[in-house]
Amino acid sequence: MASELTVGGINGTTVSTTGQVRVGANLHVVGTGNPSPSTGQGLEFAGGASPYVQSYDRTASTYLPFSISTSSQLGFHQTTNANVLIGSATAASGAKLEVTGAVTATTLSTFSAGIALGNTGTASAGTPSSPAQTLDWYEEGTWTVAMNGASSVTNTVGYYTRIGNLVQISYYSGSFTSTAVAATITGLPFDAGTYQVFTAAHNTWTPLSSSGYVNISSDTMKFTDTGATGTSTAVAAASRYLMVSGTYRI
Amino acid sequence: MALIKQTVTGQIEVGENGSIGLRTDTVVTDDGVELNRSFHRKVLAPGDDVTGEDAKVQAVASAVWTTEVVAAFVAAQAAATPE
């Protein structure tokens, strides 16, 4: 029958009947369960189905800071408030993960709450204190272009990229047939926040206009004749073409 | 290997004026593992016909597009011309 082996008393080395090794009060190697006797502050190595390394106070039943470092400014630090610090032993206010030095990620990283750039305010609970310095949106996709009065349109797919509150759009129609109506395009991927300009080229749809504006609070682009604010009138003809792009603020 | 391509309503946003931003995602999966996701967007203005839209979009439109919201949007658009 196995028996516990102790060398050096309570602060010595103990090998328990279950194979756990306790070196003084500060180093425990356990299979599963708690070291025996379950007292003291120390580093614990556990096996079993969920192996772990932890710094724990068995007497007070609390986790202790844990560091892998050669000095207080290097390595990996797990603090008492569950912050993880890499490269620094002192966390910035509110930081949950702080890395001092360059970060390289070889797989996709997700920042669902945005990325604060130059944010000098006090952020808490994931809420940036300076939204104007927070990059919170990036998106690429397509939109369906609807030209007023157009038919037999070769291509109705436009492209967009949104970065923050700016949306860049582009579109090339290919050949289409037009009628003499107000030259407007609807279907923008996002409503515009203010009046903003777009430009066109290779444009045989509205020969008197090469630009226009995105209407406020809408998904509509309106061509305007040079020097005018009224909406241009498209020509009525076949084999028309339009190439257009613009950037607008939402 | 079972490749499946499907479209889903990826995002619905309601603007201050009641417009509904709709992102339709085209998702390609292989045995349930997502391989690719691409986006298509449009904006539905208050009062637009939502027949054929996703039921969730119709529900949002029904809840948001009150008579007052639609009227306010129409009035704002009628007045929206740069001077």
Side-chain angles (χ1 to χ4, degrees), chain A residues 137 139-144 160 162 187-191 195 213 215-220 222 229, chain B residues 11 13 17 19-23 38-45 73 76-77 79-83:
Chain A
W137 203 305
E139 186 179 314
E140 305 167 10
T142 58
W143 54 293
T144 300
Y160 73 87
R162 174 176 168 179
L188 287 172
F190 298 90
D191 276 0
Y195 297 115
Y213 65 92
N215 203 21
I216 187 171
S217 300
S218 81
D219 65 344
T220 303
K222 295 185 174 184
T229 57
Chain B
Q11 204 166 64
E13 305 128 13
N17 63 356
S19 64
I20 297 174
L22 174 59
R23 193 188 77 196
S38 57
F39 300 148
H40 183 86
R41 273 202 176 265
K42 67 178 177 181
V43 181
L44 299 168
F73 176 81
Q77 286 300 298
T81 302
E83 297 177 354

Side-chain angles (χ1 to χ4, degrees), chain B residues 1-82:
Chain B
M1 186 171 84
L3 284 174
I4 298 175
K5 179 181 179 181
Q6 60 182 345
T7 58
V8 298
T9 298
Q11 204 166 64
I12 301 172
E13 305 128 13
V14 178
E16 189 175 343
N17 63 356
S19 64
I20 297 174
L22 174 59
R23 193 188 77 196
T24 303
D25 298 3
T26 301
V27 184
V28 178
T29 58
D30 180 6
D31 285 339
V33 178
E34 184 172 319
L35 300 179
N36 183 262
R37 179 179 292 255
S38 57
F39 300 148
H40 183 86
R41 273 202 176 265
K42 67 178 177 181
V43 181
L44 299 168
D48 277 357
D49 182 7
V50 292
T51 304
E53 300 292 350
D54 187 318
K56 287 179 285 189
V57 177
Q58 294 186 17
V60 172
S62 177
V64 173
W65 294 351
T66 62
T67 303
E68 293 76 17
V69 168
V70 173
F73 176 81
V74 171
Q77 286 300 298
T81 302

Side-chain angles (χ1 to χ4, degrees), chain A residues 17-233:
Chain A
T17 56
T18 57
Q20 297 176 352
V21 178
R22 185 178 190 276
V23 180
N26 304 117
L27 177 61
H28 310 145
V29 180
V30 299
T32 56
N34 299 329
S36 177
S38 187
T39 58
Q41 299 173 326
L43 188 61
E44 299 182 356
F45 298 80
S50 302
Y52 60 82
V53 178
Q54 67 183 18
S55 180
Y56 197 74
D57 184 337
R58 283 288 159 193
T59 303
S61 296
T62 58
Y63 288 95
L64 300 171
F66 175 70
S67 300
I68 301 174
S69 64
T70 56
S71 77
S72 61
Q73 297 302 313
L74 299 173
F76 168 93
H77 305 268
Q78 168 77 62
T79 68
T80 52
N81 58 354
N83 289 352
V84 175
L85 313 178
I86 299 175
S88 173
T90 305
S93 177
K96 289 301 179 187
L97 172 61
E98 179 179 308
V99 179
T100 302
V103 176
T104 301
T106 56
T107 57
L108 189 64
S109 299
T110 301
F111 302 90
S112 58
I115 302 172
L117 303 170
N119 189 339
T120 57
T122 301
S124 61
T127 302
S129 60
S130 180
Q133 293 177 294
T134 301
L135 179 60
D136 59 358
W137 203 305
Y138 180 87
E139 186 179 314
E140 305 167 10
T142 58
W143 54 293
T144 300
V145 180
M147 291 185 289
N148 190 27
S151 59
S152 302
V153 183
T154 302
N155 173 48
T156 59
V157 178
Y159 297 93
Y160 73 87
T161 299
R162 174 176 168 179
I163 303 173
N165 65 353
L166 287 181
V167 182
Q168 196 278 336
I169 54 99
S170 62
Y171 170 66
Y172 174 58
S173 66
S175 174
F176 64 97
T177 299
S178 64
T179 55
V181 296
T184 62
I185 294 175
T186 57
L188 287 172
F190 298 90
D191 276 0
T194 62
Y195 297 115
Q196 284 151 105
V197 174
F198 67 86
T199 57
H202 192 33
N203 176 15
T204 56
W205 187 39
T206 59
L208 298 178
S209 174
S210 61
S211 62
Y213 65 92
V214 179
N215 203 21
I216 187 171
S217 300
S218 81
D219 65 344
T220 303
M221 305 164 69
K222 295 185 174 184
F223 280 81
T224 53
D225 293 344
T226 302
T229 57
T231 306
S232 302
T233 300

